[in-house]
């Protein structure tokens, strides 16, 4: 758990603060997305959590302790840090890069090598194939996996991630996001994740904090943000298709009509699938109603009309 | 003008050898002091707080490079007199620039994200400096040292003019007595010394480098 209290950063020689009285509370095991345009202060906030930048005033607390009281180097060894440019040490092998923090903490050699093997497998890399390679011999996706493995090395409870998947191509990015969410299911890290991509924020975030000009504009779950944008800036950031985006976050159940599907044609979605799945299926099968199942049993059906009506109601704009 | 081959070989094999050691001393001593001064200066000028002075410092060192070593000796003659020491003094000043310049260039070329990641991982400033910045900039710093070494081998010839001895004794004897054999022999020896010194420093660099950068 960590908490920002009225954190402000004013860089020397600038009139307006880069970060202006931001207070934020991130629960244990939660992914908090910091979202906003470039220059909104999101990276500055992230870097104040591991003291790469010191706040002008305000404080950051980790598990109730003011981090200004902690030695910065010690603090950083206990916080995973992943950046977009990755910053692998070019003169060290993949294994040595991952072993960096364990070595700084003077772990015994056999524990370090065991941990390195384990981590490489965790992030989906073959220790035999990749372990002895140097960073320049890896693809962008592989490098980013090594970056994540390195940050996880000593199993820090908190991770700071600054657009970690920003530099890889869209297909790899989606795969890395999915894999990371899978890992997070079991790891339950407390994560602060910087992005400028609304879709990434909606997909990865338990909470989203939207920033503009150093101020916190809105903080809430993806669903709260989509259904009740705080101001025109947030609406604009979400884009015109927020109704369609909401379909990703609402369960089929909410739009379902109970009873048998008379025109049953074998296409079926699960009760707790996102409504988007039903829409995709309709478009794919060229039909306007799909059966909703709970396990093997039919629970009801969703119609094109119900989806259209919902999107229109929450978004004011529909797919057709 | 015909070369007297007997005189040439006499110059090469009998006159030169006693001066070779002197000449090496005239190269290594200034090089040592130059490194001792210029390397910390270069490091200092890449620290965030003092970075902005790097340009001015380099301009000053560049200016120093344009002053002939003889002029430096002449200026300091009233204080330092003649002999080995003033020669070393002038040669040291002359050797500063390439080392300082390459130290600054090498350390500045270490990618910002690598340093940031290293700091973000919890390396202390000292660990970032020794394990990341210095290792990654070593080839560039060594290139500066090699440049200085080769430069000094040539310039150290002038030392004999102020009584600093070295291979200049052979070459200037040739000039003064119109004996090209001496000049050619002396130059040959100096050329060989430059090559040998450069190779030696390359070997030192090779030993210090992590294996895959070799």
């Amino acid at each position: 758990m960590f908490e920002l209290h009225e954190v402000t950063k004013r860089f020397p020689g600038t009139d307006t603060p880069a970060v202006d009285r931001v207070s934020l509370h991130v629960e244990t095991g939660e992914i908090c997305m910091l979202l906003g345009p470039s220059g909104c202060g999101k990276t500055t906030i992230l870097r104040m959590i591991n003291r790469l930048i010191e706040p002008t005033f305000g404080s950051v607390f980790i598990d109730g302790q003011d981090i200004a009281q902690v030695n910065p180097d010690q603090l950083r060894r206990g916080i995973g840090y992943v950046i977009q440019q990755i910053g692998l040490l070019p003169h060290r092998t993949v294994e040595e890069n991952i072993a960096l923090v364990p070595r700084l903490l003077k772990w015994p050699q056999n524990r370090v090598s065991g941990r390195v093997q384990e981590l490489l497998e965790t992030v989906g890399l073959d220790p035999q194939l990749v372990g002895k390679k140097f960073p320049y011999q890896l693809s962008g996706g592989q490098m980013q996996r090594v970056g994540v493995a390195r940050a996880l090395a000593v199993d820090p409870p908190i991770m700071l991630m600054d657009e970690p998947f920003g530099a890889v191509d869209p297909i790899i990015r989606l795969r890395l996001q999915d894999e990371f969410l899978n890992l997070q299911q079991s790891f339950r890290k407390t994560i602060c994740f910087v992005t400028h991509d609304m879709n990434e924020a909606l997909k990865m975030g338990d909470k989203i904090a939207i920033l503009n000009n150093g101020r916190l504009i809105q903080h809430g779950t993806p669903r709260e943000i989509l259904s009740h944008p705080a101001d025109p800036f947030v609406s604009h950031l979400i884009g015109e298709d927020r109704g369609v985006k909401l379909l990703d976050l609402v369960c089929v159940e909410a739009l379902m009509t109970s009873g048998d599907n008379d025109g049953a044609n074998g296409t079926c979605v699960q009760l707790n699938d996102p409504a988007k799945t039903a829409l995709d299926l309709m478009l794919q099968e060229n039909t306007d109603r799909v059966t909703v199942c709970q396990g093997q049993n039919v629970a009801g059906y969703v119609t094109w009309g119900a989806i259209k009506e919902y999107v229109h109601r929450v978004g004011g704009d529909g797919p057709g | 003008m015909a070369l007297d081959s007997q005189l040439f070989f006499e110059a090469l094999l009998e006159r030169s050898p006693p001066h070779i050691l002197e000449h090496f001393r005239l190269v290594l001593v200034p090089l040592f002091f130059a490194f001792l001064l210029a390397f910390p200066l270069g490091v200092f000028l890449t620290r965030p707080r003092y970075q902005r002075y790097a340009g001015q410092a380099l301009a000053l060192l560049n200016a120093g490079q344009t002053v002939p070593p003889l002029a430096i000796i002449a200026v300091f003659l009233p204080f330092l007199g003649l002999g080995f020491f003033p020669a070393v003094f002038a040669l040291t000043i002359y050797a500063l620039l390439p080392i300082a310049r390459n130290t600054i260039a090498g350390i500045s070329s270490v990618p910002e994200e690598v340093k940031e990641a290293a700091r973000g991982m919890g390396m202390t400033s000292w660990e970032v400096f020794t394990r990341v910045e210095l290792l990654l900039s070593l080839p560039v710093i060594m290139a500066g040292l090699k440049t200085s070494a080769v430069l000094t081998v040539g310039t150290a010839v002038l030392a004999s003019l102020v009584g600093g001895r070295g291979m200049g004794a052979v070459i200037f004897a040739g000039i003064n007595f119109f004996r090209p054999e001496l000049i050619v022999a002396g130059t040959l020896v100096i050329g060989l010394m430059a090559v040998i010194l450069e190779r030696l420093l390359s070997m030192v660099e090779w030993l210090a480098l992590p294996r895959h950068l070799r």
Side-chain angles (χ1 to χ4, degrees), chain A residues 30-45:
Chain A
E30 185 179 279
I31 301 184
C32 176
M33 307 294 289
L34 297 180
L35 175 70
S38 356
C40 71
K42 51 194 193 296
T43 295
T44 307
I45 291 180

Side-chain angles (χ1 to χ4, degrees), chain A residues 195-211:
Chain A
T195 183
H196 61 255
D197 176 357
M198 185 50 136
N199 292 317
E200 185 170 61
L202 292 171
K203 177 178 179 180
M204 310 283 292
D206 297 309
K207 293 275 187 62
I208 299 176
I210 295 178
L211 295 144

Side-chain angles (χ1 to χ4, degrees), chain A residues 47 50-52 72-74 76-77 79 81-83 85-93 96 100-101 104 134 136 150-151, chain B residues 110-128 130-136 210-213:
Chain A
R47 291 163 57 103
N50 64 2
R51 292 191 65 185
L52 284 174
D73 299 317
Q74 303 295 334
R76 292 183 201 129
R77 287 173 197 183
I79 298 179
Y81 188 50
V82 188
I83 55 177
Q85 311 87 333
I86 316 172
L88 296 178
L89 304 184
H91 57 296
R92 301 279 176 85
T93 63
E96 288 165 343
L100 198 75
V101 184
L104 290 177
F134 287 95
Y136 72 91
R150 182 176 65 175
Chain B
V110 176
E112 207 50 53
E113 70 266 17
V114 173
K115 286 188 275 182
E116 158 147 5
R119 279 231 297 150
M121 296 291 118
M123 280 189 167
T124 62
S125 311
W126 177 250
E127 284 164 339
V128 174
T130 54
R131 298 192 194 182
V132 179
E133 289 181 289
L134 219 48
L135 264 184
L136 287 179
R211 66 204 129 79
H212 81 286
L213 291 177

Side-chain angles (χ1 to χ4, degrees), chain A residues 303-316:
Chain A
T303 64
W304 173 256
I307 290 178
K308 198 170 84 169
E309 192 269 334
Y310 174 78
V311 168
H312 199 79
R313 179 159 49 85
V314 298

